[in-house]
C-alpha cells in the first residue's frame, strides 16, 4: 500500500480503503478520491482531552478511494515503518501518513518531555499496518540493547519503537559535554531493546539552544 517514489515522495495505492495524512501534504493523485478533514493528535475522548491539555492540534486529512495518492512535505526525506501489533512513538511534527486502520493517540513522556516544544506528550501509532515519517535529511536508525543504552539530542529525535524506557536528563546536552553550553538543557536517554530514529538536523527545543 505504501511505497516510496525516490526518497522524498510517498505513493499510497488505494483500492477503496483509506489513508490518514498530514493536511496539505498531498501533491498529486490518480483515480477517484474523496477527502475529509480531521482533527488529529488522538482518537476518542482521551485524545480530545490530551489535545486540550497540551494545546497541540494536528491537522490531518483522510483520503479514500481507488487510485494512487502522492504525499510529500518540504522535500523532507521519508521513512516507512511497518507495525505488527506494536506501537510507534513519534514527534507529531514528523508524522506524514498512516494506514487508516492504525490507531493514533498520545502518550505522556514524563517531566521535560516534548522535544519540539509541543508539551509533555508524544504521538503514538499502534496496530498492524504502515506509517510514514519524515526527517530533515536522511534519518539514521539506531539500535538500542540492554548492554548499549543510547543518548540522543532531543532536537534530533524523531521516533522510536520497541521495549524502550525513555528518561530525560536535565542540565546537560552535547555542547555542555564539550564545555560550550550555557543555560538549562537536556538529553534523552533510551534503555532496553528497540530502535530510535534520529535526523541529521536539530529543531528548536524547550531545553534551550542545542
Amino acid at each position: 500500500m505504501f511505497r516510496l517514489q525516490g526518497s522524498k515522495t510517498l505513493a499510497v495505492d488505494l483500492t477503496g480503503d483509506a489513508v490518514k495524512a498530514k493536511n496539505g501534504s498531498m501533491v498529486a493523485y490518480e483515480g477517484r478520491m474523496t477527502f475529509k478533514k480531521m482533527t488529529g493528535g488522538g482518537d476518542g475522548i482521551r485524545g480530545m482531552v490530551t489535545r486540550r491539555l497540551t494545546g497541540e492540534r494536528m491537522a490531518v486529512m483522510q483520503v479514500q478511494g481507488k487510485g494512487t495518492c502522492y504525499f510529500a512535505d518540504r522535500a523532507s526525506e521519508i521513512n516507512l515503518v511497518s507495525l505488527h501489533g506494536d506501537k510507534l512513538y513519534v514527534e507529531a511534527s514528523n508524522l506524514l501518513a498512516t494506514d487508516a486502520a492504525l490507531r493514533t493517540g498520545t502518550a505522556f513522556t514524563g517531566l521535560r518531555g516534548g522535544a519540539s516544544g509541543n508539551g509533555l506528550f508524544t504521538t503514538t501509532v499502534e496496530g498492524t499496518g504502515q506509517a510514514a515519517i519524515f526527517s530533515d535529511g536522511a534519518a539514521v536508525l539506531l539500535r538500542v540493547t540492554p548492554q548499549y543504552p543510547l543518548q540522543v539530542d532531543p532536537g534530533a529525535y524523531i521516533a522510536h519503537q520497541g521495549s524502550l524506557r525513555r528518561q530525560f536528563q536535565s542540565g546537560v546536552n552535547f555542547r555542555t559535554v564539550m564545555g560550550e553550553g550555557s543555560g538549562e538543557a537536556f538529553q534523552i536517554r533510551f534503555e532496553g531493546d528497540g530502535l530510535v530514529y534520529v535526523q541529521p538536523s536539530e529543531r528548536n527545543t524547550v531545553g534551550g539552544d542545542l
Side-chain angles (χ1 to χ4, degrees), residues 16-98:
D17 43 350
V19 61
K20 292 186 290 187
K22 180 179 179 181
N23 196 37
S25 63
M26 187 180 66
V27 295
Y29 73 91
E30 302 167 341
R32 298 176 62 88
M33 303 288 169
T34 60
F35 306 92
K36 178 182 178 182
K37 187 174 181 179
M38 308 171 65
T39 300
D43 295 327
I45 298 298
R46 181 171 178 270
M48 292 173 60
V49 172
T50 301
R51 289 195 302 274
R52 180 172 296 179
L53 290 173
T54 62
E56 178 181 286
R57 297 182 66 85
M58 293 170 56
V60 179
M61 62 181 176
Q62 178 174 287
V63 183
Q64 186 170 13
K66 295 183 178 180
T68 301
C69 279
Y70 300 90
F71 302 93
D73 188 274
R74 296 169 297 175
S76 299
E77 299 283 337
I78 299 173
N79 302 269
L80 299 184
V81 181
S82 295
L83 298 176
H84 304 279
D86 49 332
K87 184 181 294 186
L88 173 72
Y89 297 82
V90 57
E91 288 291 293
S93 58
N94 292 97
L95 181 60
L96 179 63
T98 69

Side-chain angles (χ1 to χ4, degrees), residues 119-176:
L120 299 177
F121 293 80
T122 293
T123 297
T124 61
V125 182
E126 187 175 9
T128 298
Q130 289 181 293
I133 60 178
F134 60 86
S135 57
D136 185 4
V140 179
L141 187 57
L142 302 175
R143 182 79 191 184
V144 180
T145 66
Q147 295 78 21
Y148 296 98
L150 178 69
Q151 306 282 133
V152 176
D153 187 315
Y157 166 78
I158 302 173
H160 73 274
Q161 62 185 134
S163 301
L164 292 176
R165 297 180 302 278
R166 179 166 49 174
Q167 182 180 18
F168 295 91
Q169 299 181 331
S170 62
V172 62
N173 66 9
F174 291 103
R175 289 186 179 178
T176 58

